[in-house]
Amino acid sequence: MKMVKRAFVAGMALFGLASPAMAAWSDVNLRVGVTELSREIYGLHMLILWICVAIAVAVFGVMIYSIATFRKSKGAVPATFDHNTKAEVIWTVIPVLILVGMAIPAARTLVKIDDMRGSELTVKVTGYQWKWQYEYVDHGVSFFSTLARTSDEARQLDSGIRPESVENYLLEVDNPLVVPQGKKVRVLITANDVIHAWWVPDFGMKKDAIPGYINEMWFRADEPGIYRGQCAELCGRDHGFMPVVVEVKSQADFDAWLAAQQAARQAAAAPAAQTAAVVSPVDQVAAVRVAVAE
Amino acid sequence: MSATQTHGHAADHHDDHGPAKGITRWLTTTNHKDIGTMYLVFSLVMFLIGGAMALVIRAELFVPGMQLVDPGFFNTMTTVHALIMVFGAVMPATVGLANWMIPLQIGAPDMALPRMNNFSFWLLVAAFSLLILSLFMPGGGPASGWTLYPPLVLQTGDALPLAIFAIHLAGASSIMGAINIIVTIMNLRAPGMTLLKMPLFPWTWLITAYLLIAVMPVFAGAVTMLLTDHFFGTTFFAAAGGGDPVLYQHIFWFFGHPEVYIMILPAFGIVSEIIPTFSRKPLFGYDAMVYATASIAFLSFIVWAHHMFTVGMPLAGEMFFMLSTMLIAVPTGVKVFNWTATMWKGSLSFETPMLFALAFLFLFTIGGFSGLMMAIAPVDFQYHDTYFIVAHFHYVLVPGAVFAIMAAVYYWMPKWTGHMYDTKLANIHFWMSAIFVNVLFFPQHFLGLAGMPRRIPDYSTQFADWNMVSSIGAFGFGLSQLLFVYIIWKCAKGGQKVSAEVWDGARVHGLEWTVPSPAPYHTFDEAPVVK
């Protein structure tokens, strides 16, 4: 498999002569990702890709052979047959068998994706034009996540800032979602204005965020790190500028982070509570954002 | 079975006059050939306008960063590019071909409903005038994607009613065209031409016409509900009022998926005409081709939600739509195998129409493979709304439907004009199109797999290389099409005279090759007899 993969990369590199910076496999293929589901999805993708490649080699082979051999210019005399029942049955039945072979593992993975049981943390994601809100529903923490200022400045029309000079251009946010490593995280997804879609390629999943609906999906990230994705459903003018960034931390680091968030929230709420009995949610959010920025 | 002008005179018909003079001819014509020509010219103009919009998109995406247009205008370009290409270029081109060729292929004197034929063409002109006008409305043109999903589409400014009325008119035009084709095929076939003796192009169009009648009203209903949601306080698609935004998507794709086949089935028909002619061999598995087309049409009604795997359907729904979608590979495979078997042990020559048909065969099949990949629901959770999808549907639509239409134009243009096109230029047009279309769309597979969402005006720098390659391909492809326009213009003006048969041995492949070239204004005044 590795050999085949390498040959394929080499072929792609040839195809990409026009592109001197032609780089890694990950630039032309799906990512393996860091969750059980993403790896299964990647496996399915490769399985079906190779089946398609095999069929293509066979079918295109016959076409190319016909084009090369049965040429009028070579004096080919046309045959007169116009059907062959045996052949037609064969090329109807074999594809059906191949499809059944594809459908079985696909169905198995689909069932697994749909299994939301046993989650250890629930995060609610709300899409807005054009930012995300993350809410740790059992821990009283919530905040907004918007495109990082450096990217936002560079992406203005004729900003004069080279995108290459901005680290993680368009894939950086002010406040990433933080989740613990190795825990089954259930994501509840909705939207407050138009439809968005929350997508992290390394987790293998995207789901639409639809006003009036609460969709769910889950992931369990095996490795700590920062994972980046984007809104995947056209949501208006700045659809291209609402990235998704998820930071996976070890359980201990996550607990510390969460505690700090809760503390910051309380600290921000306390002086406000002295001056006013009722604190508006907007103020709370603003306060948390200030606290997080610090 | 001989051609007809002489017959017309002998029978002392009074309707054997030529066309009216000047502009009146085109405004009031009821002649299927004139109307076919108008449809084809209209679709060529739309192809160039829609193509120019695609070049705006590719120019902005040439390098990362925003250099040329506002993101809102970028969204307008993706939206209107798609609407124009689908409803203004591909569909009218196949209708134009149907108008020209179906009467000639089935031995009919004209379309069955010639006045309605004229009306359906001019409605289309009105429709696209409205759509293009909508670009200049306060608040900008429609920018919600051609799928017009609410709630986003309801944020459109004054362009919304214009775009919706444009869709209504284009839909009415399509329905009339479809009725006309069905009535023509059902009633005006030459004596002896049973349905299962009919050439494949009328066959695929007959099935397409039923699809059109079935789904255009559904789409009209969906956009009308958008209209009332926006202007009359209904909440069909607004969750806050008890409505459901996902309902729109179900209705839209119940239309939208058959719509995909409305664009590709006539292309199947064209390729099924061209490959036998240039293989000098009858079409392999004619009956199977007809049944495969009908199966694809049937399946197109039960697969729509594969466009919406990420909306959060229940598991059973995802499972059903995954399996039903995978089934489409079977009849589609039969078609590809039959075309290949038609070439097997034939005597092939490679005139321009054949080159385009062969490119169709290879490249449409690639689009079919990526289609099969995205039928797999769990994997589609990754592919959905990325450039992988963009690559897929452009492979089936550009080197698929559009190449088939170009093949048809080269195949039948000598019959229409009486002149052979400039074969050298036409072959250059083919090779440039075939190479650049791959430079343009193949890298988009990579972009999508690597994680680039569709419909974004700017992208992370990791996607820079392939976007640049794709944009170079786009400009190469776009420029090649100017050559196409020149070739058509030149062929209409003059060129080497062609015989009635045009192509070596074509006579056995269809009635259209029995009438003189150029085809006289009136043909088959007396029906030929088919044995």
Side-chain angles (χ1 to χ4, degrees):
Chain A
M1 196 70 171
K2 217 164 199 168
M3 278 291 290
V4 182
K5 208 184 226 181
R6 209 169 291 150
F8 190 66
V9 176
M12 287 306 161
L14 271 181
F15 180 85
L17 280 182
S19 144
M22 173 64 212
W25 180 239
S26 67
D27 281 357
V28 296
N29 197 9
L30 214 57
R31 294 165 204 220
V32 182
V34 294
T35 68
E36 183 191 352
L37 292 182
S38 74
R39 281 189 294 268
E40 263 188 43
I41 287 169
Y42 176 82
L44 272 175
H45 160 75
M46 292 312 289
L47 171 74
I48 288 150
L49 177 64
W50 287 121
I51 291 174
C52 287
V53 168
I55 299 171
V57 167
V59 174
F60 291 169
V62 176
M63 289 178 191
I64 291 168
Y65 179 82
S66 304
I67 291 169
T69 314
F70 309 120
R71 298 175 87 100
K72 189 182 173 227
S73 59
K74 286 184 174 177
V77 178
T80 52
F81 64 87
D82 62 3
H83 68 283
N84 180 330
T85 311
K86 199 188 279 177
E88 292 179 69
V89 169
I90 289 173
W91 67 49
T92 310
V93 172
I94 290 182
V96 171
L97 297 178
I98 295 174
L99 290 176
V100 171
M102 289 178 178
I104 290 168
R108 206 174 285 147
T109 303
L110 200 54
V111 169
K112 198 179 273 185
I113 288 170
D114 199 59
D115 184 1
M116 306 287 164
R117 289 171 300 175
S119 68
E120 294 153 283
L121 175 71
T122 301
V123 182
K124 186 179 165 203
V125 176
T126 309
Y128 293 82
Q129 286 176 315
W130 292 276
K131 54 184 172 281
W132 297 101
Q133 184 188 19
Y134 297 122
E135 205 176 331
Y136 295 75
V137 289
D138 300 323
H139 303 90
V141 171
S142 88
F143 53 86
F144 283 88
S145 178
T146 51
L147 182 66
R149 182 161 300 212
T150 47
S151 289
D152 197 42
E153 282 166 358
R155 66 103 178 175
Q156 300 302 324
L157 196 57
D158 294 322
S159 65
I161 304 170
R162 289 178 59 251
E164 293 82 359
S165 70
V166 179
E167 205 180 346
N168 296 315
Y169 178 60
L170 298 185
L171 294 180
E172 192 73 274
V173 294
D174 49 3
N175 307 311
L177 175 67
V178 180
V179 296
Q181 173 198 358
K183 293 283 151 64
K184 184 165 183 174
V185 180
R186 177 163 163 257
V187 189
L188 303 177
I189 303 169
T190 186
N192 215 33
D193 36 42
V194 301
I195 302 174
H196 306 263
W198 196 79
W199 180 34
V200 181
D202 279 314
F203 299 166
M205 289 292 297
K206 70 170 70 72
K207 204 77 161 195
D208 289 356
I210 304 170
Y213 273 77
I214 295 183
N215 276 329
E216 51 181 1
M217 60 177 252
W218 68 272
F219 64 86
R220 182 187 280 119
D222 294 339
E223 288 161 45
I226 296 176
Y227 302 101
R228 299 170 197 281
Q230 286 177 266
C231 177
E233 176 67 52
L234 178 62
C235 59
R237 187 175 178 278
D238 284 351
H239 162 57
F241 308 106
M242 49 183 291
V244 173
V245 180
V246 181
E247 196 174 349
V248 177
K249 291 179 190 275
S250 69
Q251 183 68 50
D253 288 353
F254 172 76
D255 290 339
W257 175 84
L258 192 63
Q261 292 295 310
Q262 286 166 328
R265 213 177 148 81
Q266 272 162 10
Q274 286 169 358
T275 52
V278 183
V279 182
S280 84
V282 175
D283 289 344
Q284 281 189 20
V285 168
V288 171
R289 283 185 66 180
V290 170
V292 169
E294 285 162 358
Chain B
M1 184 130 166
S2 75
T4 53
Q5 209 165 26
T6 49
H7 277 280
H9 283 296
D12 198 23
H13 281 182
H14 294 292
D15 56 357
D16 203 30
H17 50 71
K21 293 275 174 275
I23 187 75
T24 334
R25 166 177 179 182
W26 303 105
L27 288 173
T28 62
T29 184
T30 54
N31 179 290
H32 74 101
K33 299 183 182 81
D34 281 353
I35 294 173
T37 303
M38 291 199 294
Y39 265 109
L40 288 167
V41 171
F42 175 83
S43 81
L44 185 61
V45 171
M46 287 296 136
F47 181 59
L48 296 176
I49 295 175
M53 292 177 177
L55 293 184
V56 172
I57 295 168
R58 284 314 323 171
E60 178 56 60
L61 292 174
F62 187 63
V63 287
M66 299 298 298
Q67 293 84 23
L68 300 172
V69 296
D70 176 82
F73 185 72
F74 182 92
N75 291 343
T76 297
M77 287 293 102
T78 57
T79 304
V80 182
H81 158 74
L83 288 171
I84 285 185
M85 287 307 201
V86 169
F87 297 104
V90 173
M91 288 170 67
T94 60
V95 177
L97 292 169
N99 256 295
W100 248 105
M101 299 318 300
I102 288 178
L104 287 182
Q105 290 191 305
I106 65 172
D110 204 309
M111 296 295 282
L113 308 163
R115 289 190 181 82
M116 191 167 84
N117 205 8
N118 175 294
F119 187 45
S120 59
F121 171 75
W122 286 106
L123 267 188
L124 203 58
V125 176
F128 282 86
S129 306
L130 278 183
L131 184 65
I132 289 170
L133 209 62
S134 78
L135 290 173
F136 304 100
M137 290 294 118
S144 57
W146 82 285
T147 51
L148 308 173
Y149 281 2
L152 180 63
V153 70
L154 301 175
Q155 296 180 348
T156 312
D158 293 353
L160 183 68
L162 289 187
I164 287 177
F165 289 142
I167 289 167
H168 280 148
L169 291 181
S173 160
S174 292
I175 292 169
M176 284 188 227
I179 290 172
N180 210 347
I181 285 166
I182 292 173
V183 176
T184 305
I185 291 176
M186 287 307 186
N187 293 293
L188 298 185
R189 293 195 312 283
M193 184 176 278
T194 58
L195 278 176
L196 281 175
K197 278 187 187 163
M198 195 165 66
L200 250 290
F201 181 65
W203 245 121
T204 53
W205 241 115
L206 179 64
I207 292 169
T208 303
Y210 278 108
L211 289 182
L212 274 168
I213 291 178
V215 300
M216 289 313 291
V218 176
F219 188 33
V223 294
T224 306
M225 286 151 92
L226 288 179
L227 200 67
T228 62
D229 268 12
H230 194 264
F231 290 104
F232 305 115
T234 58
T235 54
F236 290 114
F237 308 130
D244 181 352
V246 178
L247 172 66
Y248 175 86
Q249 298 187 20
H250 282 291
I251 301 174
F252 178 87
W253 286 113
F254 184 79
F255 146 79
H257 200 78
E259 169 66 24
V260 173
Y261 295 119
I262 287 167
M263 290 190 279
I264 202 65
L265 292 185
F268 288 168
I270 291 163
V271 171
S272 305
E273 303 281 340
I274 291 173
I275 289 182
T277 299
F278 296 99
S279 302
R280 291 166 183 78
K281 207 167 143 268
L283 181 68
F284 185 92
Y286 170 92
D287 290 3
M289 287 302 230
V290 171
Y291 298 139
T293 310
S295 316
I296 292 172
F298 169 74
L299 287 173
S300 77
F301 286 107
I302 58 165
V303 298
W304 75 89
H306 68 217
H307 295 271
M308 327 161 28
F309 276 140
T310 62
V311 296
M313 267 183 288
L315 180 62
E318 285 171 346
M319 210 65 98
F320 172 80
F321 286 107
M322 172 172 83
L323 298 176
S324 61
T325 304
M326 291 172 78
L327 270 186
I328 296 179
V330 177
T332 314
V334 165
K335 285 195 156 284
V336 172
F337 299 141
N338 282 9
W339 288 320
T340 310
T342 304
M343 297 195 294
W344 187 257
K345 297 201 170 161
S347 175
L348 277 63
S349 60
F350 303 93
E351 288 83 351
T352 319
M354 182 62 163
L355 290 177
F356 273 101
L358 289 174
F360 169 96
L361 200 49
F362 282 92
L363 301 177
F364 173 80
T365 305
I366 290 178
F369 285 133
S370 55
L372 179 60
M373 292 171 78
M374 59 191 59
I376 311 295
V379 197
D380 186 68
F381 294 142
Q382 285 279 38
Y383 303 147
H384 182 79
D385 264 328
T386 67
Y387 259 82
F388 193 71
I389 307 290
V390 177
H392 159 73
F393 67 71
H394 280 97
Y395 258 84
V396 290
L397 278 177
V398 184
V402 172
F403 271 25
I405 290 164
M406 287 174 177
V409 169
Y410 284 118
Y411 185 53
W412 284 315
M413 193 157 57
K415 175 58 63 187
W416 303 334
T417 64
H419 309 128
M420 184 51 75
Y421 51 82
D422 184 329
T423 49
K424 197 182 263 176
L425 281 184
N427 283 347
I428 293 174
H429 171 234
F430 167 75
W431 284 109
M432 285 179 62
S433 299
I435 291 167
F436 281 122
V437 86
N438 285 294
V439 178
L440 164 54
F441 294 121
F442 207 82
Q444 296 185 359
H445 290 113
F446 304 149
L447 288 170
L449 292 176
M452 180 167 160
R454 64 190 284 207
R455 294 166 165 165
I456 56 173
D458 193 8
Y459 48 84
S460 163
T461 49
Q462 62 185 312
F463 305 126
D465 295 342
W466 292 118
N467 267 301
M468 188 176 279
V469 174
S470 179
S471 289
I472 291 169
F475 279 88
F477 186 77
L479 289 176
S480 315
Q481 302 325 312
L482 298 180
L483 191 58
F484 185 46
V485 176
Y486 174 70
I487 293 166
I488 293 171
W489 180 79
K490 194 175 168 194
C491 182
K493 285 279 169 196
Q496 190 198 333
K497 295 262 181 285
V498 292
S499 66
E501 198 179 43
V502 181
W503 311 108
D504 170 36
R507 184 172 288 269
V508 300
H509 291 288
L511 289 177
E512 74 264 38
W513 308 114
T514 65
V515 303
S517 306
Y521 200 56
H522 295 290
T523 39
F524 296 127
D525 286 346
E526 271 179 29
V529 175
V530 178
K531 288 184 190 78

